[in-house]
Amino acid sequence: MQAFEWEKPVLELEARINELKQFVHSEEMDFSAEIKTLERKASRLRKEIYENLTPFQRVTMARHPKRPSTVDYISLLFDEFVEFHGDRSFRDDQAIVGGVALFEGQPVTVIGPQKGRDTKDNIARNFGLPHPEGYRKALRLMKQAEKFGRPIVTLIDVVGAYPGIEAEERGQGLVIAQCIEEMSFLRTPILSIITGEGGSGGALAIGIGDRILMLENAWYSVISPEMCATILWRDSSRAAEAAELLRLTPTDLLKFGIIDDVITEPLGGAHRDHANTGMQIRSFMRRYLATIMKVPLDTLVEERLARFRRIGEFHEKSLAEL
Amino acid sequence: MQAFEWEKPVLELEARINELKQFVHSEEMDFSAEIKTLERKASRLRKEIYENLTPFQRVTMARHPKRPSTVDYISLLFDEFVEFHGDRSFRDDQAIVGGVALFEGQPVTVIGPQKGRDTKDNIARNFGLPHPEGYRKALRLMKQAEKFGRPIVTLIDVVGAYPGIEAEERGQGLVIAQCIEEMSFLRTPILSIITGEGGSGGALAIGIGDRILMLENAWYSVISPEMCATILWRDSSRAAEAAELLRLTPTDLLKFGIIDDVITEPLGGAHRDHANTGMQIRSFMRRYLATIMKVPLDTLVEERLARFRRIGEFHEKSLAEL
Amino acid sequence: MLNVFKGKPKYMTVRPQGEPQRKEFPDNLWTRCDCCGKMIFTKELEKTGFLCASCGHHFRISAIKRIAMLTEPGDFQAFPPLVAADPIGFPGYAEKIKVAQEQTGLDDAALIGKAKIQGSLCILGVIDFSFIGGSMGSVVGEQLVRGFETALKEELPVVIFSGGGGGARMHEGIFSLMQMAKTAQAVGKHSRAGLLFISVLTHPTMGGVYASFASLGDIILAEPCALVGFAGPRIVEETTRQKLPAGFQTAEYALQHGMIDAIVPRSHMLDYVGRLLAWHR
Amino acid sequence: MLNVFKGKPKYMTVRPQGEPQRKEFPDNLWTRCDCCGKMIFTKELEKTGFLCASCGHHFRISAIKRIAMLTEPGDFQAFPPLVAADPIGFPGYAEKIKVAQEQTGLDDAALIGKAKIQGSLCILGVIDFSFIGGSMGSVVGEQLVRGFETALKEELPVVIFSGGGGGARMHEGIFSLMQMAKTAQAVGKHSRAGLLFISVLTHPTMGGVYASFASLGDIILAEPCALVGFAGPRIVEETTRQKLPAGFQTAEYALQHGMIDAIVPRSHMLDYVGRLLAWHR
Ligand SMILES: [Zn+2]
Ligand SMILES: [Zn+2]
């Protein structure tokens, strides 16, 4: 598995411990004291490294190729799933997956962008960059959910809506606006979980939830750190600095009131333990779905609108200044 | 102007009268008695010919290249017109024209397919054969009309929805179904006027009116006479016979309860006198719009649905047969 | 999924007003697969649900066989039958109806009734191609509408298997066209009450059937390889004078172009539909 | 319509976060046309509504000039001004705001208020490109929302002229992104009350502005040649490594692709908008 430069010390230590354990097995010698010491050290090191990640280190975690993406989460979180295809007007966009799934006996509509897992899959899924028809499919399925009073779960992991010629021709901007607008007024509970990358309008288009949760190593921003660095310094390699400026981590976003909760990942990141990540998310889903499913629909929509209505920081110009 | 074989006698007579009139002017001789006799004869002949047209002769009248089509009618019937474009998802289909127009001070949404007037126009308008995006534009504008409580007038002159590869790919069948369904429930008055050709699903898609009127030389059928002849006898040249079988004339359709009224055309057909045709339609529009605009919306939609609900002829199987 | 395209011609011919077939599966011992050409032991075919064992081709099946595949014996109760009138006095139509009735044992092309599918009550409708190409005249339209109306009254979901050639029944002229409006509106009323309609497109679903109720399902499924579209492929070819793309108007093509939710092989259909019904209870 | 493409480059460069321009039309006697390159007497330009007499090019104009073109003196009453905070403490942002305020005389990029256009009362909003590229931060978002809320309360139509570079204002981070949701929802509430919103896209309407309220007009108009789209042309070119088609993302291109209702030259804008407002009274 691909490792990051900054986690090498802990990985090396883990490797050393494993070696010793192997040795113990094969040679029947007692290294248990040493192993214990090393494990304590490793544990300290892990905490030190993983609990003090820089924003950009989290961004790279969010992009780890083995990090679960939507289809992985669907099988981790739900008991059954039936996928529905197509926007009913142009194409089935496989960069967004959607359908109905059973969550602990409760049918929910689940929707999320999906990155490819290999070259062929990446081509089919356009590297996880949705076209307008992907968002139109999402909107269609969300309206279907509303019709049947089914809660919606959106799993967000997307660098952004695809900036392509045909995507522009078929109304990428327009469809994002429509998704945001229509999702805002849907009379059914919506839980949005940013699982990996939350890239700008392409993420927001399916992110108008009654509750918005975020995994510990996910990011959510108006612009990617790379693009921000390019604009500021004409140098995308300074992305790490830009990531600091943008305040895109779950901790920041929780403080700003943009998200409601942070879902802890296994130490070292979701990619190191899919099953545990899934269990962790499940418990958050259980709790938050139960909460929003209890709210009367009128109140639900009102509160959803009010939540976004109040976001924004500005000063009223004092009368003296006028 | 292109003339039909069967109207040649009357046209020749008209030419002869015109000649005499010219002669009178130039030579100052008195042919007034002769002219009067000829005019009486012409009048008899016109009535004889035009009031006894066969169904297929009406079909050919409906297809006359100089017959007004939607844009002509828009300028004949309305005082002002602003055209709106586009389906907001793929393309602006110029085979369907739509926008807001002023009818005697009342803003209405007007929609209709448009045939081309010359080669270039025909290409732009795909010979008047709409693609799915044309119907999507129509639907968008109809919903806009509903939002603003604006009556809708659809002017129908279409051979059919375009049977093309891309049209199929983009959901021609699906979009016709959606138009029919959504139009049926629109909470705004709808007046549909079949002005020329009423070709099957492509016409029905914009033909779910509260009142459905039809010009005297228009036709409306589940299938074109040519296609019907091909299916029955593998010979499209027997279209005239098929036209008899299909009962596609306004008289038949009025009797069947499919349409509500027949708008008389100037003798010889709408193409011989655009202005008078327009005036004639205007007076029907005035009357029928006033009627349907008075009906409460709930009743209007209920009656619109009931109207179609009862169409169909069948026998309940008697108990004895069961 | 099975590769249903193997050895298949580019498209299949639709005969909108073709003669009703004498019998779906004549008493011959052997039936030739339309798709791969292999000869199949007819008894074998019955056992597999009329699927070709070598290529997976889905044979067209009768409404009765379809219903038997989806419901337990006794779990389908058909609506009282209706019989076609001859509203525009179309030459030969009355006779055509009589012949079709004799040959198929049906009153008209649709069998609709109340059913229980894997424990879920619903209205189930099946259109039978062998009755004048499964075309929609006043009877089919009325039966479908009654189906949706009953479903609306009793708050039931509706499942329709559509497989009619040219869609509209030309012999009823404008009355046939109007069934598109009538059925679409029935779906609309049912849908606006928040009820579920699963539309299953079987081979072939074209023209007026495709362009009305069949396209208005909350969920649209199709059997593999089923031809679905508005204009028949021959008309498209003649109008455009273009070679039709491979697989044009097949279910697989429609899926790719975003028109249907899923392709469900016949062998999975019962479980698939049953599960969806259960999830919408 | 005027041939606005003559001599025009394939697309114009969008500078999402470019420096605010010192002055739209400096006090030079002559201004060079961006489009055809001709030198135009600046006083002449003022008289024509900032259109190039030789090619019809629509120069970018200030919010104040735009309002003056649409309303009689005294017929526009701006909402109380708001001033940007610095919600994520972005380096240099506070200073940037101060400079922009000094150079433009505006408090932020949007001027919104109650207006009378050809006798119709409405809420009129104009985004000014010269204030940090007309980008949408918390102030622009809040002003727009207050505009729609006032319109909703007083049952007025809304007319917005959008012309902001990159759309979102990066310097406010996630707060800027959320203005997309906030404004789209304000449109939604206003729209659901049956009220009219005319969105006019002026050069350039991109990114977060295009992908939120500006795309949600009942009627969407554009000035000739205005650049409208989601992703900037340079990003599209870099991502796809394809040559952009001629006229890509121009208003004319968007019209052809079904995204806007009409292109209205500046000289007709007042009458066009005035008529639509009158018809929706
Ligand atoms: Zn086979
Ligand atoms: Zn110029």
Side-chain angles (χ1 to χ4, degrees):
Chain A
M1 191 180 297
Q2 184 196 305
F4 300 110
E5 200 49 44
W6 39 267
E7 61 179 351
K8 290 227 166 112
V10 76
L11 296 179
E12 277 162 18
L13 205 55
E14 282 173 358
R16 174 88 186 106
I17 294 166
N18 276 337
E19 249 172 55
L20 277 181
K21 280 182 179 166
Q22 290 297 103
F23 200 66
V24 172
H25 265 284
S26 50
E27 305 291 321
E28 300 188 2
M29 287 172 66
D30 189 10
F31 284 115
S32 58
E34 253 168 295
I35 289 176
K36 228 175 216 162
T37 316
L38 284 177
E39 274 180 343
R40 259 199 305 272
K41 196 177 161 193
S43 171
R44 260 202 320 275
L45 198 56
R46 263 196 291 265
K47 285 194 86 157
E48 202 183 298
I49 290 180
Y50 291 123
E51 289 179 2
N52 291 292
L53 292 179
T54 67
F56 195 66
Q57 281 169 343
R58 288 196 195 277
V59 169
T60 55
M61 292 271 267
R63 290 171 179 169
H64 194 286
K66 293 290 178 207
R67 188 174 176 88
S69 184
T70 300
V71 270
D72 306 302
Y73 283 124
I74 288 175
S75 65
L76 289 167
L77 304 175
F78 302 102
D79 309 317
E80 292 185 58
F81 174 61
V82 174
E83 186 175 354
F84 292 148
H85 295 272
D87 66 344
R88 303 262 165 108
S89 78
F90 187 79
R91 197 173 67 100
D92 181 51
D93 184 354
Q94 295 186 58
I96 290 189
V97 169
V100 182
L102 269 198
F103 179 74
E104 302 179 349
Q106 165 72 47
V108 303
T109 287
V110 57
I111 292 163
Q114 174 63 34
K115 298 174 182 177
R117 278 303 173 226
D118 51 43
T119 309
K120 205 183 139 205
D121 195 27
N122 255 323
I123 289 165
R125 302 203 186 271
N126 195 38
F127 297 84
L129 299 165
H131 276 78
E133 44 275 16
Y135 290 106
R136 289 200 180 95
K137 171 167 70 179
L139 190 50
R140 177 174 80 81
L141 296 179
M142 288 196 279
K143 285 184 174 181
Q144 187 186 80
E146 180 186 42
K147 173 176 171 180
F148 296 113
R150 237 184 344 246
I152 297 169
V153 176
T154 59
L155 301 170
I156 301 170
D157 180 20
V158 64
V159 177
Y162 185 55
I165 293 170
E166 296 206 332
E168 289 291 320
E169 289 177 354
R170 296 198 291 270
Q172 192 70 284
L174 209 131
V175 84
I176 289 173
Q178 286 170 338
C179 272
I180 294 172
E181 200 267 350
E182 302 222 35
M183 199 174 177
S184 299
F185 293 88
L186 286 180
R187 293 175 63 78
T188 201
I190 307 172
L191 180 61
S192 294
I193 307 177
I194 301 159
T195 61
E197 306 196 73
S200 192
L204 182 67
I206 51 167
I208 311 292
D210 295 305
R211 294 294 184 280
I212 303 170
L213 315 180
M214 204 164 160
L215 263 71
E216 193 186 348
N217 296 307
W219 63 273
Y220 191 15
S221 173
V222 67
I223 191 170
S224 72
E226 287 77 8
M227 201 122 62
C228 178
T230 303
I231 290 171
L232 288 179
W233 309 296
R234 301 184 187 280
D235 182 359
S236 67
S237 72
R238 291 171 69 180
E241 287 166 71
E244 302 271 352
L245 301 183
L246 286 167
R247 314 287 295 274
L248 42 62
T249 67
T251 319
D252 285 320
L253 298 171
L254 188 65
K255 207 177 64 194
F256 294 150
I258 305 295
I259 62 167
D260 299 287
D261 215 334
V262 183
I263 303 173
T264 317
E265 297 182 24
L267 265 188
H271 62 279
R272 293 188 77 181
D273 191 342
H274 286 204
N276 257 312
T277 308
M279 266 163 45
Q280 187 68 0
I281 300 177
R282 255 186 197 257
S283 80
F284 276 78
M285 279 176 67
R286 193 177 302 127
R287 182 148 51 92
Y288 279 102
L289 275 176
T291 309
I292 56 180
M293 284 173 69
K294 263 187 246 137
V295 183
L297 290 180
D298 284 337
T299 316
L300 195 72
V301 174
E302 245 169 64
E303 287 178 355
R304 190 188 303 147
L305 293 169
R307 167 201 192 106
F308 288 92
R309 173 67 187 85
R310 61 178 165 257
I311 301 177
E313 300 264 319
F314 50 84
H315 308 296
E316 310 269 349
K317 216 168 173 177
S318 68
L319 277 176
E321 293 174 275
L322 287 177
Chain B
M1 193 180 295
Q2 182 194 307
F4 300 111
E5 202 48 46
W6 40 267
E7 61 179 352
K8 289 230 166 108
V10 77
L11 294 180
E12 279 162 19
L13 206 53
E14 282 172 358
R16 175 88 187 106
I17 293 166
N18 276 337
E19 251 171 52
L20 277 181
K21 279 182 180 167
Q22 289 297 104
F23 200 65
V24 173
H25 265 282
S26 50
E27 306 290 321
E28 301 189 0
M29 289 171 67
D30 189 10
F31 284 116
S32 60
E34 253 169 293
I35 290 176
K36 227 175 217 165
T37 316
L38 286 178
E39 275 184 340
R40 262 199 302 275
K41 198 176 160 193
S43 170
R44 263 202 316 278
L45 199 57
R46 264 196 291 263
K47 285 195 85 157
E48 204 182 297
I49 290 181
Y50 291 123
E51 289 179 3
N52 292 293
L53 293 178
T54 66
F56 195 66
Q57 281 168 342
R58 288 197 196 275
V59 169
T60 55
M61 291 269 268
R63 291 170 179 170
H64 193 287
K66 294 288 177 208
R67 188 175 176 88
S69 186
T70 299
V71 271
D72 306 302
Y73 283 124
I74 287 176
S75 63
L76 289 167
L77 304 175
F78 301 102
D79 309 316
E80 293 183 58
F81 175 60
V82 174
E83 186 174 356
F84 293 148
H85 294 272
D87 66 343
R88 303 263 165 108
S89 78
F90 187 78
R91 197 173 67 100
D92 181 51
D93 184 354
Q94 295 187 56
I96 289 189
V97 169
V100 180
L102 269 199
F103 180 74
E104 302 179 347
Q106 165 71 48
V108 304
T109 287
V110 57
I111 293 163
Q114 175 63 32
K115 297 175 181 175
R117 279 301 173 229
D118 52 42
T119 310
K120 204 183 139 204
D121 194 29
N122 255 322
I123 289 166
R125 302 203 185 271
N126 196 37
F127 297 84
L129 300 164
H131 276 78
E133 42 276 17
Y135 291 107
R136 289 198 182 100
K137 170 167 70 178
L139 190 51
R140 178 175 78 82
L141 295 179
M142 290 196 281
K143 286 184 174 179
Q144 187 186 79
E146 181 186 42
K147 173 176 170 182
F148 296 112
R150 226 173 9 231
I152 297 169
V153 176
T154 61
L155 301 170
I156 302 171
D157 179 21
V158 66
V159 178
Y162 186 56
I165 294 170
E166 294 206 334
E168 289 290 321
E169 289 177 353
R170 295 200 290 270
Q172 192 72 283
L174 210 131
V175 84
I176 289 173
Q178 286 170 338
C179 272
I180 294 171
E181 199 265 352
E182 301 221 37
M183 199 174 176
S184 299
F185 292 89
L186 285 181
R187 293 175 62 80
T188 201
I190 307 173
L191 179 62
S192 295
I193 308 177
I194 301 159
T195 61
E197 306 196 75
S200 195
L204 183 67
I206 50 165
I208 310 295
D210 296 306
R211 294 295 185 278
I212 303 169
L213 315 181
M214 203 165 161
L215 264 72
E216 193 185 350
N217 296 307
W219 64 273
Y220 191 16
S221 173
V222 67
I223 190 170
S224 73
E226 287 78 6
M227 200 122 64
C228 178
T230 304
I231 290 169
L232 288 179
W233 307 298
R234 300 185 186 278
D235 183 358
S236 68
S237 71
R238 291 172 69 182
E241 288 167 70
E244 302 272 351
L245 302 182
L246 286 169
R247 314 289 293 274
L248 44 62
T249 67
T251 321
D252 285 321
L253 298 172
L254 188 64
K255 208 177 64 193
F256 293 151
I258 304 295
I259 62 166
D260 298 286
D261 216 333
V262 182
I263 302 173
T264 317
E265 296 180 23
L267 266 189
H271 61 281
R272 294 189 75 183
D273 191 343
H274 286 203
N276 257 312
T277 308
M279 267 164 44
Q280 188 67 2
I281 301 177
R282 257 185 195 256
S283 79
F284 277 78
M285 277 176 67
R286 194 175 302 127
R287 182 147 52 92
Y288 279 103
L289 275 177
T291 310
I292 56 180
M293 284 173 69
K294 262 187 247 136
V295 183
L297 290 179
D298 283 337
T299 317
L300 195 75
V301 174
E302 247 170 60
E303 287 178 357
R304 191 188 303 148
L305 293 169
R307 166 199 194 109
F308 289 92
R309 173 66 188 87
R310 59 178 168 259
I311 300 178
E313 301 264 318
F314 50 84
H315 308 296
E316 311 267 350
K317 215 167 174 177
S318 68
L319 278 176
E321 293 172 275
L322 288 176
Chain C
M1 210 205 318
L2 293 165
N3 179 2
V4 291
F5 278 103
K6 211 182 279 172
K8 213 180 135 20
K10 291 280 179 295
Y11 57 83
M12 287 148 109
T13 308
V14 188
R15 293 169 303 158
Q17 262 70 29
E19 292 296 318
Q21 299 177 312
R22 292 285 121 171
K23 205 151 189 218
E24 270 181 304
F25 302 97
D27 296 327
N28 308 339
L29 276 174
W30 298 90
T31 303
R32 182 185 294 278
C33 174
D34 298 337
C35 189
C36 68
K38 283 244 173 76
M39 296 301 291
I40 310 161
F41 194 45
T42 307
K43 289 263 176 245
E44 196 55 40
L45 211 51
E46 302 242 2
K47 269 191 254 164
T48 61
F50 303 91
L51 303 176
C52 170
S54 31
C55 78
H57 174 64
H58 286 55
F59 284 79
R60 214 146 47 205
I61 56 171
S62 71
I64 289 165
K65 288 208 184 79
R66 173 74 66 180
I67 289 165
M69 285 177 186
L70 295 167
T71 59
E72 297 294 316
D75 277 355
F76 178 80
Q77 199 182 347
F79 291 162
L82 302 175
V83 180
D86 185 5
I88 63 166
F90 201 91
Y93 182 46
E95 180 60 23
K96 202 174 184 75
I97 289 286
K98 213 171 283 171
V99 171
Q101 286 171 337
E102 279 163 18
Q103 285 178 350
T104 61
L106 299 170
D107 296 291
D108 209 301
L111 255 185
I112 297 173
K114 201 183 286 190
K116 201 196 273 173
I117 296 180
Q118 287 194 343
S120 297
L121 275 182
C122 65
I123 299 297
L124 172 63
V126 184
I127 296 183
D128 196 312
F129 185 83
S130 59
F131 196 102
I132 316 190
S135 57
M136 176 162 67
S138 299
V139 169
V140 172
E142 180 71 18
Q143 292 278 35
L144 284 166
V145 171
R146 291 185 184 184
F148 280 96
E149 285 173 347
T150 305
L152 178 59
K153 211 166 58 190
E154 305 185 14
E155 299 188 5
L156 294 176
V158 176
V159 183
I160 310 278
F161 286 75
S162 311
R169 189 173 293 172
M170 179 182 73
H171 319 76
E172 295 192 13
I174 197 78
F175 290 91
S176 159
L177 184 68
M178 292 300 141
Q179 304 311 308
M180 289 171 66
K182 190 168 153 174
T183 55
Q185 291 170 352
V187 178
K189 278 193 221 172
H190 182 257
S191 175
R192 280 164 170 74
L195 297 167
L196 172 72
F197 168 31
I198 301 174
S199 176
V200 189
L201 314 179
T202 58
H203 179 72
T205 302
M206 304 292 290
V209 168
Y210 184 61
S212 63
F213 70 91
S215 280
L216 296 171
D218 296 297
I219 299 161
I220 304 182
L221 308 175
E223 282 197 335
C225 210
L227 202 68
V228 301
F230 178 59
R234 260 193 314 190
I235 293 164
V236 175
E237 206 161 30
E238 279 166 25
T239 309
T240 60
R241 291 164 203 276
Q242 278 184 282
K243 206 170 128 43
L244 302 180
F248 183 63
Q249 291 184 330
T250 56
E252 291 73 12
Y253 199 78
L255 181 73
Q256 199 185 324
H257 286 282
M259 298 302 151
I260 60 181
D261 283 297
I263 294 176
V264 182
R266 195 172 289 165
S267 50
H268 296 101
M269 190 61 82
L270 172 60
D271 281 343
Y272 198 101
V273 170
R275 179 153 58 160
L276 290 179
L277 289 174
W279 287 3
H280 285 84
R281 249 186 253 170
Chain D
M1 210 208 314
L2 294 167
N3 180 2
V4 290
F5 279 103
K6 211 181 279 171
K8 212 178 135 21
K10 291 282 180 294
Y11 57 82
M12 286 148 111
T13 307
V14 188
R15 293 170 304 158
Q17 262 72 27
E19 292 297 316
Q21 299 177 311
R22 293 280 122 174
K23 204 150 193 223
E24 270 182 305
F25 301 100
D27 295 326
N28 306 340
L29 277 175
W30 299 91
T31 302
R32 180 185 295 277
C33 174
D34 297 340
C35 191
C36 69
K38 283 242 174 77
M39 294 304 288
I40 310 162
F41 194 46
T42 307
K43 290 266 174 241
E44 197 54 41
L45 210 51
E46 300 242 4
K47 270 192 251 163
T48 61
F50 303 90
L51 302 177
C52 170
S54 31
C55 78
H57 174 64
H58 286 54
F59 284 78
R60 215 147 48 205
I61 56 172
S62 71
I64 288 167
K65 289 208 183 80
R66 173 74 67 183
I67 290 167
M69 284 178 186
L70 295 166
T71 59
E72 297 295 317
D75 277 356
F76 179 80
Q77 201 183 343
F79 291 162
L82 302 174
V83 179
D86 184 6
I88 64 167
F90 201 91
Y93 182 46
E95 180 59 24
K96 205 177 182 74
I97 290 285
K98 213 171 283 170
V99 171
Q101 285 171 337
E102 278 163 19
Q103 285 177 351
T104 61
L106 299 169
D107 296 292
D108 208 301
L111 254 187
I112 297 174
K114 201 184 286 189
K116 200 194 274 174
I117 296 180
Q118 288 194 343
S120 297
L121 274 182
C122 65
I123 298 298
L124 172 62
V126 183
I127 295 182
D128 196 312
F129 185 83
S130 59
F131 196 102
I132 314 189
S135 57
M136 178 161 66
S138 297
V139 169
V140 172
E142 179 71 19
Q143 290 279 35
L144 285 164
V145 171
R146 291 186 184 182
F148 280 97
E149 284 174 349
T150 305
L152 177 60
K153 211 167 57 190
E154 305 186 13
E155 300 190 3
L156 294 177
V158 176
V159 182
I160 309 277
F161 286 74
S162 311
R169 189 173 294 171
M170 181 183 72
H171 319 75
E172 295 193 14
I174 197 78
F175 289 92
S176 158
L177 184 68
M178 292 300 140
Q179 303 312 308
M180 290 172 64
K182 190 169 153 174
T183 57
Q185 291 170 352
V187 179
K189 278 194 219 170
H190 181 257
S191 175
R192 281 164 170 78
L195 298 167
L196 172 71
F197 168 31
I198 301 174
S199 176
V200 189
L201 315 179
T202 58
H203 179 72
T205 302
M206 304 292 293
V209 168
Y210 184 61
S212 63
F213 70 91
S215 279
L216 296 171
D218 297 296
I219 299 163
I220 302 182
L221 308 175
E223 282 197 334
C225 210
L227 201 70
V228 301
F230 177 59
R234 261 192 316 191
I235 294 164
V236 175
E237 207 162 28
E238 279 167 23
T239 309
T240 62
R241 292 164 201 276
Q242 279 185 282
K243 207 171 127 42
L244 302 180
F248 183 64
Q249 290 184 329
T250 56
E252 292 72 13
Y253 199 79
L255 181 73
Q256 197 186 324
H257 286 283
M259 297 303 151
I260 59 180
D261 282 297
I263 293 176
V264 183
R266 195 173 290 163
S267 50
H268 296 100
M269 190 61 82
L270 172 60
D271 281 344
Y272 198 101
V273 170
R275 178 151 63 160
L276 290 178
L277 289 174
W279 290 3
H280 285 83
R281 250 186 252 173

